[in-house]
Amino acid sequence: MGGAAVAVLGAAATRRNPAPLAFLLSRVVRGLHEASAATAAPEEDKAGNRRPRRSSSRLLGPDFPDSWDPPPISASQTPSPQDAGANYDCTTTIIDGKSIAEDIRLHIAEEVRQMKSAVGHVPGLAVVLVGDRRDSESYVRFKTKGCVEVGIKSLLAKLPGNCTEDEVMDSVSRFNEDQSVHGILVQLPLPQHMDEERILSAISLEKDVDGFHPLNVGNLALRSRKPLFVPCAAKACIELLLQSGIELMGKHVTVIGRSKVVGLPTSLLLQRHHATVSVIHAFTTNPEAITRESDIVISAAGVSNLVRGSWLKQGAVVIDVGTNPIEDPTSDYGYHLTGDVCFEEAVKVASAITPVPGGVGPVTIAMLLGNTLDSAKRIYGLISD
């Protein structure tokens, strides 16, 4: 069986039962690698007993998607105190993201007024929205509302889900050339027929207020360098922790999820704060045990109630980035949001936790507004890096 076939079968099987099959898959892939090396060895021996050089694609590893399974039905039952490691007499701090975001927005609004007075212009934020996903439309609505509250000009290019990739690129190009626009974001996820990386890379580096341009992510990874922009959700997580007086240096932090939107940049930013970082993903063996050793848990897996009380050690700090829409006919929008963390269980174990909604979300939007302001200040020569 070829490596590609193993990868396809393994990815499908792992989605049904991740932990044991992921281990089995790794054994199969390793066996294929060893067999390949053994086949190449005689040829290398004839050439001078050199070991074969591995291909770059093999060293980069197989490109399997992170496809999380929802928690089993049995996990919906609240664990007993001894199973969860909980002390039900402890007092848990609910980290109020709304009030933290409000303070940030007040400062931004004042700086926008000062900019208008100094140069006669205000920052401009342009959003490209493709398709009609309800959650994406909701996020864009909140971002537009945030712009209005602080005096930032907002523009929206809304395209149908069946539009071409070139149409999206054209919208990005127009905003790149518009001097009144200082920040551009493409609302993710994009339809599957589009090359997300190509579109994000087309955004001008100086206007990449979402921080997803390869150069911004690369500079974030290199501690000796400074990115123009840090992804907003990652900034929000760190802001919430610092505003809450939580020490990061030397602490064990587990980040659940490794997407370029949250997990990856958050883990990189935590390392800049000298935290010891573990990253949990869909192929991690025994994620519960790893998470239970952590001082701080940041979850961005996109799976409702994935993290139970039994995943947490007593006194852990929990930042729940998950915003999972659950159908709700009683809601004005037809759904309500839940986090990755089972709040009712975690609140009995954690020393501090963010709620959903009202935790990370408002601060993420405030970080976006702040990035847009910084971009305009840089363009108008009001700050220098």
Side-chain angles (χ1 to χ4, degrees):
M1 182 182 295
V6 172
V8 171
L9 291 174
T14 302
R15 281 194 287 272
R16 293 193 294 271
N17 192 3
L21 287 177
F23 173 75
L24 177 60
L25 174 62
S26 68
R27 295 291 298 272
V28 174
V29 172
R30 186 163 66 246
L32 284 174
H33 287 181
E34 292 170 354
S36 176
T39 301
E43 298 177 3
E44 294 295 333
D45 286 343
K46 294 175 183 178
N49 294 321
R50 296 177 186 171
R51 293 182 179 179
R53 187 174 72 88
R54 298 185 185 275
S55 67
S56 296
S57 59
R58 181 172 294 175
L59 290 173
L60 287 173
D63 185 16
F64 295 152
D66 267 3
S67 181
W68 296 82
D69 282 345
I73 296 176
S74 60
S76 62
Q77 300 176 354
T78 303
S80 63
Q82 55 267 40
D83 291 338
N87 178 358
Y88 287 90
D89 295 328
C90 68
T91 301
T92 302
T93 299
I94 308 301
I95 301 174
D96 187 356
K98 288 183 178 180
S99 65
I100 292 173
E102 176 64 21
D103 289 342
I104 296 170
R105 288 198 304 271
L106 288 174
H107 287 291
I108 293 173
E110 177 58 30
E111 290 197 59
V112 170
R113 286 191 291 270
Q114 292 175 3
M115 173 181 289
K116 186 173 184 180
S117 175
V119 299
H121 299 287
V122 298
L125 175 66
V127 179
V128 179
L129 175 62
V130 183
D132 55 2
R133 283 177 58 116
R134 291 184 303 176
D135 54 344
S136 292
E137 290 177 337
S138 177
Y139 300 149
V140 170
R141 188 165 53 246
F142 287 132
K143 291 167 184 176
T144 302
K145 180 182 176 184
C147 286
V148 172
E149 290 176 349
V150 301
I152 290 177
K153 171 186 173 183
S154 66
L155 300 91
L156 174 65
K158 191 174 189 311
L159 302 171
N162 61 354
C163 71
T164 66
E165 187 174 308
D166 285 341
E167 288 178 286
V168 179
M169 295 286 286
D170 287 343
S171 294
V172 170
S173 295
R174 285 196 300 272
F175 288 140
N176 279 338
E177 297 168 3
D178 189 338
Q179 295 184 1
S180 71
V181 172
H182 308 96
I184 303 170
L185 70 87
V186 176
Q187 184 63 44
L188 302 178
L190 290 169
Q192 292 185 350
H193 68 277
M194 294 187 180
D195 185 341
E196 195 172 274
E197 294 301 329
R198 175 174 177 249
I199 292 171
L200 294 178
S201 297
I203 297 173
S204 168
L205 181 64
E206 292 76 16
K207 298 184 179 185
D208 174 40
V209 290
D210 251 346
F212 297 151
H213 192 285
L215 285 176
N216 275 322
V217 176
N219 285 334
L220 178 62
L222 300 172
R223 281 176 43 208
S224 60
R225 298 193 179 188
K226 182 180 180 182
L228 286 178
F229 305 102
V230 174
C232 304
K235 283 182 73 174
C237 292
I238 303 302
E239 183 73 21
L240 285 162
L241 291 167
L242 297 179
Q243 289 271 7
S244 302
I246 295 165
E247 178 65 45
L248 296 177
M249 184 179 293
K251 298 298 182 181
H252 181 195
V253 185
T254 290
V255 178
I256 304 176
R258 54 180 175 177
S259 72
K260 65 172 168 287
V261 178
V262 187
L264 172 61
T266 301
S267 65
L268 295 175
L269 197 52
L270 285 164
Q271 291 178 70
R272 282 180 170 250
H273 286 266
H274 309 288
T276 301
V277 183
S278 297
V279 178
I280 300 292
H281 50 78
F283 296 92
T284 300
T285 301
N286 203 3
E288 181 176 345
I290 298 171
T291 306
R292 199 186 296 120
E293 296 297 319
S294 305
D295 304 302
I296 302 168
V297 176
I298 300 175
S299 185
V303 180
S304 182
N305 291 329
L306 173 70
V307 180
R308 317 298 301 195
S310 60
W311 285 46
L312 306 171
K313 77 174 183 180
Q314 186 174 327
V317 175
V318 179
I319 304 294
D320 190 351
V321 191
T323 50
N324 309 297
I326 304 297
E327 288 191 12
D328 182 358
T330 65
S331 170
D332 292 340
Y333 300 114
Y335 67 94
H336 69 268
L337 296 178
T338 66
D340 289 353
V341 180
C342 181
F343 186 86
E344 293 78 10
E345 295 177 14
V347 76
K348 300 173 183 176
V349 186
S351 61
I353 187 172
T354 58
V356 177
V360 177
V363 182
T364 299
I365 293 175
M367 296 295 105
L368 172 65
L369 302 176
N371 279 357
T372 304
L373 172 64
D374 288 344
S375 177
K377 290 168 68 175
R378 191 178 292 116
I379 289 172
Y380 292 131
L382 301 178
I383 59 173
S384 59
D385 293 321

